[in-house]
Amino acid sequence: MSTNTIDVARTFGAVLIGGLSASLLSGAVVIQTIIYYKLYPSDLLTLKLVVLTIWLLDILHTCFIWVATWDYLIHHYGQLMRIDYIPWSIALTIVLTAILTFLVHWFVFDRSRYLAFLGFI
């Protein structure tokens, strides 16, 4: 028995399930964004721009995830040694995740600071 076998279902299958899950969550962000713009049309322009930026970065993040999924499952189909290769799109998803995390944490910090200033916290 060879020790160099790769379990395709546990490797490339995880890539597919991760891409589908990311798309589902990205759809939730789209719905939240639409609801936000409909419910709060009088919010400050800067707040609307933060929401728009997060939404656009999330869409870009999902696109890069699907580029990586395409690279793994379609473009290099049958090349089992590609499982150790990290495509450029995965590297960009990591960068986008860091930017999105920073923006969301900054927003929560800013809102908390504002509510504390008003005496609600």
Side-chain angles (χ1 to χ4, degrees):
M1 184 185 322
S2 175
T3 59
N4 292 334
T5 60
I6 296 173
D7 188 1
V8 175
R10 290 184 185 215
T11 52
F12 292 122
V15 170
L16 181 61
I17 290 172
L20 291 171
S21 300
S23 296
L24 178 73
L25 293 172
S26 186
V29 171
V30 169
I31 291 169
Q32 286 179 334
T33 303
I34 292 169
I35 290 172
Y36 166 75
Y37 280 110
K38 287 192 177 277
L39 290 180
Y40 304 104
S42 60
D43 270 356
L44 294 173
L45 181 63
T46 55
L47 186 57
K48 288 181 180 182
L49 288 175
V50 168
V51 171
L52 179 66
T53 301
I54 290 172
W55 179 48
L56 292 175
L57 287 174
D58 185 67
I59 289 172
L60 191 60
H61 180 266
T62 304
C63 290
F64 286 143
I65 287 173
W66 280 106
V67 167
T69 303
W70 179 272
D71 186 56
Y72 277 129
L73 301 179
I74 306 299
H75 189 258
H76 296 288
Y77 178 76
Q79 298 177 13
L80 294 179
M81 299 317 292
R82 288 286 291 192
I83 196 63
D84 290 335
Y85 175 75
I86 300 174
W88 61 269
S89 54
I90 292 288
L92 287 179
T93 61
I94 294 168
V95 171
L96 285 173
T97 299
I99 293 169
L100 283 164
T101 302
F102 174 77
L103 284 173
V104 170
H105 282 106
W106 170 80
F107 173 76
V108 171
F109 169 74
D110 187 58
R111 292 286 102 186
S112 299
R113 189 174 51 98
Y114 178 70
L115 290 173
F117 175 74
L118 293 178
F120 289 109
I121 296 180

